[in-house]
Structure formats: structure tokens, C-alpha cells
Amino acid sequence: MNASDLGLPVDVPSTALFTDQYEFTMLQAALKAGTAERRSVFEVFTRRLPEGRRYGVVGGTGRVLDAVENFRFDAGVLGFLRDHDIVDEPTLRWLASYRFSGDIWGYPEGEVYFPGSPILRVEGSFAECVLLETVILSILNHDSAIAAAASRMSAAAGGRALIEMGARRTHELSAVASSRAAYVGGFSSTSDLAAGFRYGIPTVGTSAHAFTLLHDSERDAFRAQVDSLGRGTTLLVDTYDVAEAVRTAVEIAGPELGAVRIDSGDLLLVAHRVRQQLDELGATNTKIVVTSDLDEYAIASLAAAPVDAYGVGTQLVTGSGHPTCSMVYKLVARAQSADPKAPLQPVAKKSLGAKSSMGGRKWAARRSDAYGIAEAEVIGTGAVPTALADSQLLVELVKAGAVVAREPLDSARARHIEALAALPMSASQLSRGEPVIPTEYV
């Protein structure tokens, strides 16, 4: 497997087939009907947050920009579409020169969102916008779910370090995306080297139980690791007897031992015992790292424990019970003809039940109280009220097909911290509840 197989930036593969077939059949029919070039506005939003969640987190915006930029049809992609009779020849000729030339506005990455928030707005011809639906939703639904889970875990950790360790619990490509989203949501490092290579996320890792079992004794294993990695390494102390392992670890590494990791047992009880033992042995600066199927609730339960860092895998990369955000991509306005000057007409699905939507090109703003704390997500069409002009949430991401808002991942991470700080304190509660602020339509 080479770097390109991992989705890394070597030859930048096309993203054009990360989509559903009906995008292409709609394109073909619209081209034939003469409606494909009608100016259109699509919006990404979710009708509700996952049950019990109080806010959502926008994750994956940077990956969406990359995907749109690389959405093109080379000879291999066109050949596949032709060989499998997906679309006809006139449509293939149209696709051969495809480059998104429209505009995209959206909530910046790391921002929080609520039901109805127009997280992304894609504007251009129907033909060029409709093709992007699946790849945009695929990225935003996945990455936002991971970022939201990471945010809740970060809140539960109360400032203690969080390590993303989920690569072995998900697809190899989603593992890289998960590491990126977790970093936006508050994690400080990852065990996944591909994520470190691609996105510059700090990477960590020392040894597993297999390394201890390889050696004739635990002492031999610890000695080998310290000789290789230095006294500041992290030793795994729960392969056999924890108390004996901690004693041996300090004997070999001295009080300069970097950390010990506990991966099983009653973590609350064991952490207290290990901290006491380390202090008695003079290793007062040695940190304690805990792992073992943690989620935000388990992390919160360890708040009183002398734990310095948490390693989280399965629950993080699966969204801690909510692996998707149920975001949708809906046409909300379109021109009455292909004339570029034709006015936009609001459109919306009006089916029975919970799947109806609100038409019109929307703006969004977050109204704050006198203390600067958010009190409502305000969404509307038409002119933005003067009082909300300085608190609008959508920013320009793509202008006339060119990306204009690419930013370092640390900027999204910092933005999320700021966004959370401006929410009511109850946003960090893990108990089930409604969104922390209401959505108001004007």
C-alpha cells in the first residue's frame, strides 16, 4: 500500500465517483430537458440533533474544499461511466470539462450548529451543484459526528489530555478523517501516523501487551523499552500484576519515568493506587494514562481520579453512539430559466411528516445576551436585521470555483474552543436534554 492508497496528497485522485448514481441520471435528464443550467441554491442542514445532544460541531469543511477542488472526470472515470452505461454520450462530453465554478458559503470548521442551521450553501448551475451532494454529505456527516463526540469527551476530560487511538476500530481511510475531526473537537494527539503525515497532528505511541509478552520477563521488556526510548517513555503496567509492574518500572527508569498506562480493571480504583505508589517511590512527576473502551461518560466518572491523559478509540471513531449527523442536501431555490439574470424562486419539499423543509436562500446569525452568551440561532431569508449584521455565521469558502478560505487545522480547533465558550454552561452537561439554544426562523 502506498501513500495514494491512503488518500494522501501524492497524485491527488479524483473524487468524482464518491457519489451516488442518481446524481448522474438527474444530470442527464436535466441536460436533455434544458433545465441543467438553471441557477440553483442547495443547502446542507440537519432537522434535529442526535438524541440527547445539546449542540453539533462542524467538522470536515477543509476536506469538503479539497473534494470539490478535485471533483473532475479524467479518462479513467469517464471510461467507467461509459463502459457501465451510467450516462449517455452527450452527458459524458459535458462531464469531461466539469469544474465547479460556483460559490460555496458555510459555517467555518469548528463552529457549533443547531437544528436548521444552514451549515453549507452551494450555489451555481443545477448541473454542477447536484453532482456534489453525496461527497459533501459523506464528509460532513462523518467528520461532524466524530468532532461532536470529541467535543463532549473533551468537556468531560476537564482540561486533561486526550489521545485518539481508534485506527484499529474503523476503515483505514475513515481513521485518518476521524483523527482530523477529533483534533478539531479537542483531542491533542493521535496514534495514527497517516493522520500525522497528512494533517500535522501530533502522534504518540509506545508499546502494547505483545511487547511485554515477547520478553522472558516484564523487567526485560521494560528495560528494552527504556534503553530504546529513554526514561520519558510510557510503560504499560497491567499485563500481569500492576503493583509489581509499577515498582519494576520505577526501579528501571527511575523517578524520571514519563508515564504509566493502565488498560484494564477498575480504572478509578487502580489509578488512585498507582498514583499513591508512584508518589511513595519518588516518581511524583510520572503521569498516568488510562485506556480501555472509554467514552465521555467513563471519562466523566474518572474526574476525581489522578489521571493525566485518556486514550480513546472505539467510541470516538463511531461517534459515541451517533455515527452520523443526519445532514441533508436540499435544493432551496432555483431560477425560473437558464438566463443568468433570472430571479431565484424559493422551493421546498412539502411532504407529510418530519421531512418537509424551508425554501429560500438563507442566512444565519447567533443572537447573544448582554453577557455575550448565545441565546438563539436565528435563521432567515431576505435582508439580515441590522441588529444581527455583525453576528452572521456563514463565511465565503469558494468564490467562482476557487477556494478562498483554506486554513490551518489549528484555526478550526481554536474556533471550536471559542464557540463553546460562548454557549450557555449547560452545553457541557452530559445528561440528556434539548439543544442548548433554540432555533428561531424570521
Side-chain angles (χ1 to χ4, degrees), residues 5-60:
D5 293 326
L6 291 172
L8 303 179
V10 178
D11 54 4
V12 192
S14 168
T15 55
L17 292 183
F18 292 161
T19 189
D20 292 307
Q21 182 167 325
Y22 81 162
E23 317 291 5
F24 291 95
T25 55
M26 284 191 287
L27 169 66
Q28 177 177 308
L31 286 170
K32 188 172 183 179
T35 53
E37 297 304 321
R38 287 187 176 186
R39 191 159 56 101
S40 300
V41 179
F42 286 83
E43 289 177 351
V44 175
F45 62 94
T46 184
R47 296 182 175 93
R48 67 191 67 83
L49 297 179
E51 184 180 355
R53 296 288 173 90
R54 297 174 182 266
Y55 62 90
V57 181
V58 178

Side-chain angles (χ1 to χ4, degrees), residues 211-212 214-227 248 252:
F211 185 78
T212 300
L214 168 69
H215 292 81
D216 294 334
S217 69
E218 192 169 52
R219 178 177 294 274
D220 290 344
F222 287 176
R223 172 65 65 188
Q225 185 172 327
V226 171
D227 287 348
T248 301
I252 291 172

